[in-house]
Amino acid sequence: MPTTQDALSTALDLNWIRSQFPSLAEKVNGYPAAYLDGPGGTQVPQRVIDAISDYLKHSNANTNGAYATSHRTNEIIAGARSAMGDFLGCDPDEVVFGLNMTSLTYAMSRAIGRELGPGDEIVLTLLDHDANFAPWEALAERGVTIRRVAINPADCTLDMNDLAGKINSHTKLVAVGYASNAVGTINNVKEVVRLAHAAGALAYIDAVHYAPHGPLDVRALDCDFLVCSSYKFFGPHMGVLYGKGEHLRRLRPYKLRANTNESPNRWEWGTLNHECIAGITACVDYVADIGRRVNPSISSRRPAILAAYDEIVKYERSLCERLVVGLRTIPESRLYGIADPGRFEHRCPTIAVRIDGHTPLELSTKLGERGLFTWDGNYYALNLTEQLDVEKDGGFLRMGLFHYNTVDEVDRLLVALREIVAR
Ligand SMILES: Cc1ncc(COP(=O)(O)O)c(C=O)c1O
């Protein structure tokens, strides 16, 4: 097996990419830090750090005042809405900023739930993160029937027959993840949206895990809502919701009188995190710059973002294959999720394993001592760990690969795992 970065051909300029992230220079116990913990939150490029601190230095104010820094704040928020419009493929006023995906989803479930009651049904999946489950399940208090879609345990994919069978004329909303943050499965969300709409239901997509790994196009998906978190795609700790304009205008949010009835203002309560909103523009521009380096003839932001993801997808898939093939040489390991490289277009490079005789916490701790940052547990994909019966034994060891990771990091991880298991 080749061991250098050159072994994987990619159009990505990895030297430039890695030079953008100051944290990649960190060391732990003399080892270079390898961030395989991106599913819990990615690293940020210097420009995001700069945008946040520049905002605080030069533009720090509340919105809508009659003076320079307040004007700048308004402009920075408008700029970030436009950046997210390019990232998601929607209009800027269909972009809602919030604390994180979870709180945005609770806000939306409360607003949608106001119109629901006994006789109405909501379809959820057992593959989803709890943040796209619990806020909807809470509507059972209003008499709404909750239907739960099963998974195929052999490869941790959604059981689409079960999903289709659970949608009926009473269904008012189908909430589904674009990709699983635990086992990496990419769901056929376009088909889920089609099935939901055929029954007259809304489709709510959790794209938190997918957003750093693949392009988002809410118009092509035709989803009603899509949520993501910028801290998972190289930005600050915030959440972003896309809603079709007609829904954002028609639904009734719980809100203060101080919020106007204009959308998206009616969904954004209190004072937002302006400095992080400044950072969101910077992280979207970072992704676009990857695309411009791949194809210098592209200058507009949306096409540049799409060009970046074309290469990110290919590069991450080859890293993923290397890790999965390597894990197979550790006989004590068991991989959860799609394992056949021929089907890798249906998974993100997010790998969950268990290794006989070692708890995920022990493995993650020992890897951490060698500068290899991974995660252990259920990562709030609690329904999944319960179904696979790993919850009581510490869940999985999760390794997430991103475009800033390298072949050498994957190889270091495999060597370290073999050593830990051999002891
Ligand atoms: C798939 C998925 N959905 C939702 C969330 C919750 O996101 P947030 O932390 O922005 O509330 C996470 C967080 O890990 C996630 O991975």
Side-chain angles (χ1 to χ4, degrees), residues 125-128 130 133 380-388:
T125 92
L126 295 177
L127 189 56
D128 270 73
D130 213 40
F133 192 91
Y380 297 5
L382 198 52
N383 284 315
L384 181 67
T385 51
E386 283 173 353
Q387 281 174 94
L388 296 174

Side-chain angles (χ1 to χ4, degrees), residues 39-40 100-103 129 131 179-181 206 208-209 229 231-232 238-239 379:
N100 48 45
M101 176 276 185
T102 304
S103 44
H129 188 286
S180 159
N181 67 316
D206 170 5
V208 171
H209 189 68
S229 307
Y231 74 95
K232 310 274 190 180
M238 279 199 63
Y379 347 104

Side-chain angles (χ1 to χ4, degrees), residues 88-110:
L88 299 167
C90 66
D91 294 338
D93 66 0
E94 293 174 309
V95 170
V96 178
F97 291 121
L99 187 57
N100 48 45
M101 176 276 185
T102 304
S103 44
L104 285 166
T105 301
Y106 266 111
M108 198 47 75
S109 78
R110 272 184 239 130

